[in-house]
Amino acid sequence: YTSLQGASLRGANLQGSLLVGTDLRGVDLTGARLDANALEQAHWSGAKGMPAQAQSHAALHNAGVSAADSDRWADAEELFGLAIRKQPSAAESWVARGIARERLGKRKLAIQDFNYAARLFKTSGETKSADQLLAAANALEDKTAQHRGGSGVGSALLNGLLTTSKALLPLAMKLFIPATGL
């Protein structure tokens, strides 16, 4: 229950430390050595350079959802990426990162994430979710192609992309809130 808010812990050896309730908001943890899941019960929102092993997949994913809920899409993309590295087979994190990327205008990367998540869902027998994601990826691809064609659909394209994102966000949120043991 210590406040280290804003401190630099670059390269610090924190292995074996009890960080329950510790305020690590805005802390720089670049190169810090931490035990697996050491930050599970700490407050680490906005921490920089956080090692992936320091948090569980569920904690990283939930932090990404919180960032997305606050319209902090770049933070959400990074947190979902960390969650994916922690558990690459979690389709929900791929969907969520795809949504974040779409909101950031990274349409090609969003399409790739949606397609990969669709494959994961299909493999696990969740064909309805897979079909929804493939349809969203195809819609984004079509809208991107229309935009490249110079058909003057700029605001219509933006509205369509926002609609795609809004349609998928409830699916993503429903699938992992609360994420206990994703």
Side-chain angles (χ1 to χ4, degrees):
Y1 295 100
T2 303
S3 177
L4 298 173
Q5 187 174 5
S8 175
L9 298 174
R10 291 172 81 73
N13 183 356
L14 300 172
Q15 292 175 315
S17 298
L18 297 176
L19 300 171
V20 175
T22 302
D23 185 355
L24 297 170
R25 292 175 293 172
V27 167
D28 185 355
L29 293 168
T30 304
R33 292 180 296 179
L34 295 154
D35 295 327
N37 301 330
L39 300 179
E40 284 298 297
Q41 297 179 10
H43 306 284
W44 50 269
S45 178
K48 298 175 184 132
M50 191 170 60
Q53 83 279 3
Q55 279 291 10
S56 69
H57 168 262
L60 290 165
H61 186 93
N62 285 343
V65 171
S66 294
D69 196 36
S70 300
D71 289 329
R72 294 181 294 118
W73 295 103
D75 292 340
E77 178 190 21
E78 180 182 349
L79 289 161
F80 292 131
L82 289 171
I84 288 167
R85 279 187 277 192
K86 190 80 168 185
Q87 191 172 330
S89 63
E92 296 86 0
S93 294
W94 288 91
V95 173
R97 187 175 74 175
I99 292 168
R101 286 177 163 178
E102 187 265 326
R103 294 299 301 257
L104 291 168
K106 300 176 180 180
R107 292 180 195 103
K108 288 183 180 183
L109 293 174
I111 292 166
Q112 290 173 0
D113 282 353
F114 292 155
N115 283 326
Y116 191 78
R119 284 194 296 271
L120 290 172
F121 276 124
K122 189 171 185 172
T123 300
S124 68
E126 297 181 54
T127 56
K128 184 177 178 180
S129 295
D131 291 344
Q132 286 177 321
L133 288 168
L134 289 173
N138 288 335
L140 279 176
E141 186 64 48
D142 290 346
K143 291 170 186 166
T144 302
Q146 287 173 359
H147 181 64
R148 281 191 297 249
S151 60
V153 294
S155 63
L157 172 65
L158 180 59
N159 288 335
L161 292 173
L162 291 175
T163 301
T164 302
S165 177
K166 287 177 183 174
L168 285 175
L169 195 54
L171 166 69
M173 296 294 188
K174 178 182 78 170
L175 290 171
F176 41 67
I177 293 293
T180 55
L182 273 176

